[in-house]
Amino acid sequence: MDPCITLILTSFLILLSFSTSYQIHDSFKKCVAFHSTTLFPSNSTLFYTSKNASSYNTILQSTIQNLRFISPSLPKPLLIFTPIFESHVQSSVICAKKLGIQLRIRSGGHDYEGISYTSGFGSSPPFILLDLGKLRAIDVNIPDNSAWVQAGATIGELYYRIAEKSQNHGFPAGLCTSLGIGGHITGGAYGPMMRKFGLGADNVIDAIIVNANGEILDRKAMGEDLFWAIRGGGGGSFGIILSWKVKLVQVPSIVTVFTVPRTLEQGATRILVKWQEIADKIDENLFIRVLIRPVNGTKTGMRTVQTSYNALFLGRSDNLLQIMKQEFPEMGLTKNDCLEMSWIESMVIIGRYPRNTPPEVLLQGTNPFKRNFKAKSDFVKEPIQESGLEGLWKRLLEEESPLLIWNPYGGMMSKIPESETPFPYRKGVIFMAQYLIYWESEEKSVSRHYEWMRQLYVYMAPYVSKFPRGAYVNYRDLELGMNMKPAGNNTSVSASKWGIMYFNRNFKRLVSVKSRVDPDDFFWHEQSIPLEDYKKNNSGLF
């Protein structure tokens, strides 16, 4: 084709794209204003388009945690809307349906595959990003042992507001304090008090959502099936979470934390075998996770593997030391390893902030530890013996920046039935394993990191849960499979693998709930819960 004609066509397509984007922006804004019960404030900007690149990119990238999704080549929203009233969210659903455009919903931006604000496909239908970051009100009611928290608030903000009113109350949610609570609880929400109190989703007593018809519903109005589904069935499938009512739990005035590293030369392999034998059986007030990574060894140019035991104990160090001496003497915990503090101070430490950082850092609502990464997850039901660990060490030493995080189960997690919420991995699980590989933005070829992760995942297969091999939905992994959305409104899915890996037997009920509350599949993304058509075409799986 003549270069001049090519240039003209390219210019025309760009102008057409800008024109279409502007039309959608203008129509959506007018529609939302018409349907909202609350007027837009004149002094506040709520809509952002790429026409104003600086403010658009600032908002888009503000809560992106995985830097690989900042890439210019990935699909971006035509429009970003940052509602400040719940009626704005309600109107967004009504107007997106009228305009025939997809909504993607973001609360904290921690989605591992970025599907709350981008697309897993190279060519994606146009979409609007509904960013809930300005909906972050928190109302703590100590006499009622409860709190209402809007979806855009972080768990760090919730922790701080609870501690502001009581030093003896807390909430059992995540370790990363910049997690948006809207999406966090939809996947289950595990954390350092899960062995004592269960998951965050186990401690939700009410919720406010916008459904696919644009209706605002509480628990009574939505019914128990939908209330069940949103507490662990994954985000973006059933509606838009506006707020959760959570049950507060009692915490002691003084808790104890410790972080104790052990390298291979210090007996790390033997100690980790023992940890697997006691991690799910030890006192339920004690949570000991293990962070595993390569580090520089004592000899120049040599690397080794370090296992770092990071713990929270709901009590004083004297009691902790007695438990450790009896149950886990191999680690050699000493009084000097232990730090006593308030519960809110422990959340700062576990959130990876330096010692003596004031709790007010939790109000920042941002994550200072952003990097490029790929992750996968597993659930382990039998201890991995020394030979298996030694093979794992060899693979870790092949990469520059891998990290494994092993989180213990047992305690309350073993007492809650697997069908109580959609999160199924309860009794019989020793620990959940998370695998991460990090790389720098300057790297031009990152395919080797993906390949290393895939090989590690294959290596771990004999040592983890089977039939199904489990995975954690909040560590979303598109390599497990994706929904395929054709040009029309019908959904074509092949969700058998990832759906059952995330939810096991609960997947069948999730499909049923989805088909009833969102029969047009308005709330769709690459791993959203499919409709009943899926079940008919895959009856053997049910």
Side-chain angles (χ1 to χ4, degrees), residues 360-514:
E360 284 70 23
V361 72
L362 302 179
L363 297 177
Q364 293 178 2
T366 57
N367 178 13
F369 311 108
K370 300 180 179 183
R371 298 182 69 182
N372 299 277
F373 68 89
K374 172 64 184 173
K376 290 182 179 289
S377 60
D378 268 315
F379 293 89
V380 178
K381 296 186 173 184
E382 297 290 339
I384 304 171
Q385 299 304 317
E386 289 195 20
S387 59
L389 294 177
E390 287 166 356
L392 180 58
W393 305 154
K394 291 177 183 177
R395 283 157 178 80
L396 289 180
L397 291 169
E398 292 171 356
E399 261 288 350
E400 288 86 356
S401 298
L403 173 64
L404 310 185
I405 304 175
W406 292 3
N407 293 286
Y409 274 55
M412 181 58 73
M413 291 297 292
S414 296
K415 301 172 186 176
I416 299 173
E418 68 175 42
S419 61
E420 184 73 14
T421 72
F423 182 91
Y425 298 105
R426 306 282 189 167
K427 187 176 181 180
V429 174
I430 299 176
F431 64 93
M432 178 175 67
Q434 180 181 186
Y435 320 118
L436 299 117
I437 181 66
Y438 297 99
W439 62 88
E440 299 302 323
S441 298
E442 295 76 18
E443 287 196 44
K444 299 197 182 300
S445 176
V446 300
S447 59
R448 64 187 180 92
H449 301 303
Y450 285 88
E451 183 57 30
W452 178 88
M453 177 61 79
R454 293 176 191 126
Q455 290 179 6
L456 176 68
Y457 194 64
V458 169
Y459 174 78
M460 291 299 295
Y463 305 107
V464 301
S465 62
K466 300 172 181 64
F467 311 114
R469 181 175 185 174
Y472 180 38
V473 69
N474 270 0
Y475 295 154
R476 203 177 288 284
D477 179 8
L478 292 184
E479 291 188 336
L480 301 181
M482 292 192 292
N483 293 330
M484 303 301 292
K485 187 89 167 181
N489 291 324
N490 296 322
T491 304
S492 172
V493 297
S494 179
S496 58
K497 185 179 179 183
W498 60 261
I500 294 173
M501 290 177 76
Y502 289 146
F503 306 113
N504 204 349
R505 286 185 284 258
N506 294 330
F507 186 50
K508 177 180 178 180
R509 184 177 174 187
L510 288 170
V511 170
S512 178
V513 175
K514 168 72 172 182

Side-chain angles (χ1 to χ4, degrees), residues 259-262 289-293 306-310:
T259 299
V260 175
R262 293 289 184 264
R289 67 171 179 164
V290 190
L291 286 72
I292 307 169
R293 56 164 64 92
Q306 180 188 79
T307 58
S308 185
Y309 295 84
N310 179 222

Side-chain angles (χ1 to χ4, degrees), residues 286-342:
L286 178 56
F287 173 92
I288 311 174
R289 67 171 179 164
V290 190
L291 286 72
I292 307 169
R293 56 164 64 92
V295 297
N296 291 328
T298 55
K299 295 181 180 179
T300 304
M302 297 293 289
R303 296 205 306 163
T304 186
V305 174
Q306 180 188 79
T307 58
S308 185
Y309 295 84
N310 179 222
L312 170 68
F313 177 64
L314 299 175
R316 291 187 174 273
S317 59
D318 288 347
N319 291 337
L320 169 62
L321 288 166
Q322 290 178 5
I323 293 169
M324 292 293 286
K325 183 177 181 180
Q326 180 176 344
E327 303 289 341
F328 195 14
E330 290 82 357
M331 206 189 75
L333 186 70
T334 69
K335 182 77 171 179
N336 289 337
D337 297 320
C338 301
L339 297 173
E340 292 188 342
M341 59 189 66
S342 66

Side-chain angles (χ1 to χ4, degrees), residues 14 214 228 308 425 516:
I14 291 172
W228 173 85
S308 185
Y425 298 105
R516 181 172 58 81

